[in-house]
């Protein structure tokens, strides 16, 4: 018994030139699609996450209200539910896993909404982090199919510093003894714990630690926060899957495709959806400055900075009522306003 | 033949309660001590560095001018020249290395200048990063012995976020297969390379990478910068020594001693030296905000922010003429001005 559905994509040609045989897109829906199919929202997943990790943002009376909207969470490739290193059969298993770009992800998500649900136009695509990057990709790749996008702590193209941060994460994970011949045959416990500690510094701000905000999450000490909050978060993931999603993240770029040929300004300018761009004031890798630079090329966008010391986590405000209220308000404004 | 001298400290009681037998402080001097012993400057080393790495800031016509000043570089314990894991004999070798705090370092440096050179008052203590933290310690631990301090990209107490960043670095290095029983019996090549990549994201700013400033250092690609500039920088270090210095860094705190009993405000208020506090505007771990908070308690200090996108490296501006000129000017102002 599974709580989600699988969309069988069949043999799927990827940007890499490889064909993923019998690709599977795992998704979960919330609420009902209305008669004219005008109330659908796509809410993609973030790095490492499955729909279990983000569905808490969906609820009656909330901005993502399943009594009003038909909400679809497509699980990103590599996250263990959709096609991923952990579930790919030979000969494309292990070191031969055929990687999915975010472009590939969105092509498959588009097939899901059109072929399975007959939806031609989405009310919105909303996402945080890599989910926000997917929202951006939706806006650029299928302008006619998206009325609104919300990019929360995300960017149209992974910034060079963000790339370097991820190089550090990748090198940390693969320093583990279990990394052999381009594959983890067993869980790299040292590497996953180390990844958690490296991530802890990046995902939250200097001020978050200065003010010991982790206490509000129930941790009596910093070390408890690092073990329970960070090591634990990565130890429960599949390390090969984490590397696959990292691969996609490092290559995130709405213009890296034949439509735009690497011209980011052109890709941003092609977005017709109403765009709500919401960086966190203290995000260390999806920075306000990167979003500000995008604004010059967007034609129908608002930059609304989340005034938070929660760093990147301001956009996934579990346990953080203030940022959650800010985000809810902003999403309501987007969904209730013009497309 | 060595280019530096060794000061034999003898058996040295440490804050930890352990005694380091026959501790050795390696140092190098530049210029001549004048007759009234009023021209001495201590210029401590930074994380991972030996005097070879920082002496380039000393030169005729420069702020640190050996034709005017008698400049002493004391090598930090753990850096491989002074007592360190790499040169400590049994039974205090390997996992039993007796760690030195920055307090311990400054006690020994004080013995060096008084016992070997008969200096009772220093013209200045100037340092970058952990060297800046040592300058701060000098000011608080021996107020009467220091006329001026310059703290460049340093802090009086290692900030909690800085601590977390170092937890990530430590976990990365010790994810390597060579980490066994609390010791590296052989160089952890994966871990050192990974440490370089993790560090690369922290030591420079988002804007540094966005603007590809690494090109000005002669690297034709980001990957070349990461390998030659970062992996190379750590591969040539002793990994056990790197962990020992990291231990000292994480515990850096001018008030963590019997004089101040953990009262940071009291320790800052005890500094009588003229203090020049120079954070970089874009430093990700020694932040402007942390230095700003210190200013409220310093009685004779100037905060002069380095307007740079070189992040932490703004304070060690090798290959960065603009920040170097800014720094030179500031150090001249300090040394030529009142104590």
């Amino acid at each position: 018994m599974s709580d989600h559905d699988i969309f069988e994509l069949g043999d799927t040609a990827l940007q890499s030139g490889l064909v993923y045989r019998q690709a599977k897109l795992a998704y979960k829906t919330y609420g009902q699609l209305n008669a004219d199919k005008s109330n659908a929202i796509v809410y993609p997943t973030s790095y490492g996450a499955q729909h279990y990790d983000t569905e808490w943002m969906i609820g009656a009376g909330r901005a993502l209200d399943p009594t009003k909207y038909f909400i679809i969470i497509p699980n990103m490739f590599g996250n263990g539910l959709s096609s991923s290193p952990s579930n790919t059969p030979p000969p494309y298993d292990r070191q031969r896993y055929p990687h999915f770009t975010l472009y590939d992800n969105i092509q498959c998500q588009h097939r899901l909404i059109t072929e399975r649900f007959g939806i031609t136009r989405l009310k919105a695509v909303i996402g945080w982090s890599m989910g926000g990057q997917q929202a951006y990709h939706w806006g650029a790749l299928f302008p006619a199919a998206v009325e609104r996008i919300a990019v929360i702590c995300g960017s149209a193209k992974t910034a060079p510093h963000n790339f370097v941060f991820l190089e550090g994460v990748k090198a940390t994970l693969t320093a583990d003894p279990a990394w052999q011949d381009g594959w983890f045959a067993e869980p790299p416990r040292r590497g996953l714990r180390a990844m958690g500690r490296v991530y802890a510094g990046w995902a939250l701000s200097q001020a978050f630690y200065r003010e010991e905000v982790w206490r509000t999450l129930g941790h009596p000490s910093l070390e408890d926060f690092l073990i329970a909050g960070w090591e634990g978060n990565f130890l429960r993931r599949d390390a090969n899957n984490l590397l696959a999603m990292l691969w996609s993240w490092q290559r995130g770029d709405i213009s890296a495709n034949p439509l735009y040929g690497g011209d980011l300004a052109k890709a941003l300018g092609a977005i017709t959806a109403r765009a709500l761009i919401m960086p966190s004031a203290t995000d260390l890798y999806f920075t306000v400055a990167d979003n500000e630079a995008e604004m010059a090329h967007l034609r129908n966008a608002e930059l609304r900075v989340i005034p938070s010391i929660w760093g990147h986590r301001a956009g996934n405000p579990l346990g953080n009522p203030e940022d959650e209220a800010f985000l809810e308000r902003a999403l309501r404004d987007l969904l209730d306003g013009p497309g």
Side-chain angles (χ1 to χ4, degrees), chain A residues 136 156 264-271 277 288-303:
Chain A
Y136 245 138
L264 183 60
K266 187 177 170 194
L268 287 164
I271 297 172
I277 311 298
V288 174
D290 289 311
N291 284 152
E292 280 173 346
E294 295 161 356
M295 291 301 287
H297 307 288
L298 291 168
R299 49 171 101 166
N300 185 21
E302 177 194 354
L303 183 74

Side-chain angles (χ1 to χ4, degrees), chain A residues 217-275:
Chain A
L217 297 171
H219 301 284
S221 69
L222 176 58
E223 183 65 9
D224 188 71
F225 177 56
L226 293 178
I227 295 172
W230 287 101
E231 294 187 356
N233 187 43
F234 287 101
L235 280 171
R236 67 194 175 93
R237 309 291 185 189
D238 180 288
N240 294 299
N241 289 353
L242 287 173
L243 284 185
M245 287 178 280
L246 191 151
W247 187 97
S248 303
W249 185 353
Q250 286 193 309
R251 286 157 188 79
D253 180 354
I254 63 171
S255 70
N257 51 64
L259 275 74
Y260 303 114
D263 185 338
L264 183 60
K266 187 177 170 194
L268 287 164
I271 297 172
T272 52
R274 173 72 184 160

